[in-house]
Amino acid sequence: TTGKNVTIAELDSGVDTTNPDLTGQVVQTQNFVDGAPYPAEMHGTEVAGIIVAREGNGMGIVGVAPNARLLALRACWQDSAGDAAATCTSFTLAEALQYALQSHAKIFNLSLAGPHDRLLERLLDIALSRNITLVSAVDGAAADGGFPASYPGVLAITDERAEQLVISGALHAPGEDIPTTEPGARWGLVTGTSFSAAEVSGLVALVRELSPDITRAQLRGALNARTTLGLVAMRPTVIDACAAVARVSGNCTCDCATANASLS
């Protein structure tokens, strides 16, 4: 599984579609911030590379779901040159969410956090009613984990190093020194829950290729599946990608132990 025919909407800052690992990987870009030409920015490019970086081109990295279709929806803008930090507004996010809903994307990657917003909550409710998977990064500095990660039905993702869960049911994924794309023909290592969420969005695309109509409960069950590999046994709360794929496909496609990843 490579995420083929699965559309992911990334709501973020701008994505550099000219990076060699992202050329041809982004099916559409839209700018909801201003009327200027669509820009290449740090955070959006880093998140995009983790999800869909090209395979087989002899350079760079490979994304988690290299054959997924990525919509790069610019709802945030970079605060300063060379800094991945970005700002969004309720209005720009609402426009991007509405566009993502109209585009029939199956996964929304929301590697961002802020205060609760009634308009955005209504749009998230529509997405959840359509069985769209919402993946959001937990803000460890926020008392409630930040919005939209704290909203019911959203897959809240935190860094595997986080010892205390500020959101009950949040899932852990690697979040330190993750290789990815950067603007220009460059690559680098990134750290943070934004990138943990990007990894999970890619994994969900792999799962949804195998099972397009998987329910929210079934998906969470797959992401909570475990193998008996030593590393996973040491870190039982970290998402086990192999077990998730095995649970949905019925086959152990990466030579993992399937005792705890059966279809039953």
Side-chain angles (χ1 to χ4, degrees):
T1 175
T2 59
K4 186 177 180 180
N5 298 324
V6 179
T7 301
I8 304 170
E10 177 194 346
L11 282 69
D12 213 299
S13 58
V15 173
D16 183 3
T17 59
T18 68
N19 181 289
D21 259 350
L22 294 175
T23 301
Q25 298 299 90
V26 178
V27 297
Q28 192 171 13
T29 60
Q30 289 289 331
N31 187 353
F32 299 98
V33 173
D34 52 37
Y38 185 94
E41 295 172 301
M42 289 284 290
H43 195 271
T45 303
E46 291 165 347
V47 168
I50 291 169
I51 300 173
V52 295
R54 289 182 65 186
E55 64 177 335
N57 60 346
M59 65 177 66
I61 63 167
V62 179
V64 178
N67 287 335
R69 295 164 47 86
L70 188 71
L71 304 178
L73 308 182
R74 186 182 184 237
C76 312
W77 60 94
Q78 190 166 300
D79 292 335
S80 61
D83 186 353
T87 301
C88 324
T89 68
S90 297
F91 184 70
T92 56
L93 287 169
E95 284 196 307
L97 281 170
Q98 178 68 21
Y99 188 88
L101 288 167
Q102 293 172 339
S103 300
H104 305 293
K106 295 299 183 183
I107 302 162
F108 294 1
N109 184 87
L110 303 163
S111 289
L112 48 88
H116 283 261
D117 184 284
R118 292 289 296 277
L119 173 59
L120 299 182
E121 288 176 356
R122 292 185 65 182
L123 291 167
L124 295 181
D125 285 337
I126 294 171
L128 291 168
S129 73
R130 297 180 183 178
N131 198 31
I132 294 168
T133 304
L134 306 176
V135 184
S136 183
V138 172
D139 179 2
D144 66 349
F147 175 83
S150 60
Y151 195 65
V154 174
L155 276 179
I157 308 301
T158 191
D159 188 330
E160 64 180 345
R161 299 168 300 167
E163 296 181 0
Q164 299 294 327
L165 285 181
V166 292
I167 297 177
S168 177
L171 301 172
H172 290 71
E176 184 176 18
D177 292 337
I178 307 300
T180 191
T181 50
E182 293 183 346
R186 296 188 299 120
W187 293 261
L189 300 176
V190 292
T191 294
T193 58
S194 284
F195 312 113
S196 304
E199 291 175 320
V200 175
S201 289
L203 176 57
V204 172
L206 304 185
V207 169
R208 293 201 67 151
E209 178 189 345
L210 296 170
S211 180
D213 299 320
I214 191 169
T215 67
R216 200 182 314 156
Q218 290 170 334
L219 176 61
R220 179 168 283 277
L223 296 178
N224 278 317
R226 293 284 171 266
T227 66
T228 56
L229 296 177
L231 181 61
V232 175
M234 292 166 57
R235 297 174 176 172
T237 61
V238 179
I239 290 175
D240 184 339
C242 180
V245 171
R247 167 74 64 92
V248 175
S249 69
N251 297 305
C252 194
T253 56
C254 53
D255 298 325
C256 65
T258 56
N260 298 319
S262 68
L263 291 173
S264 60

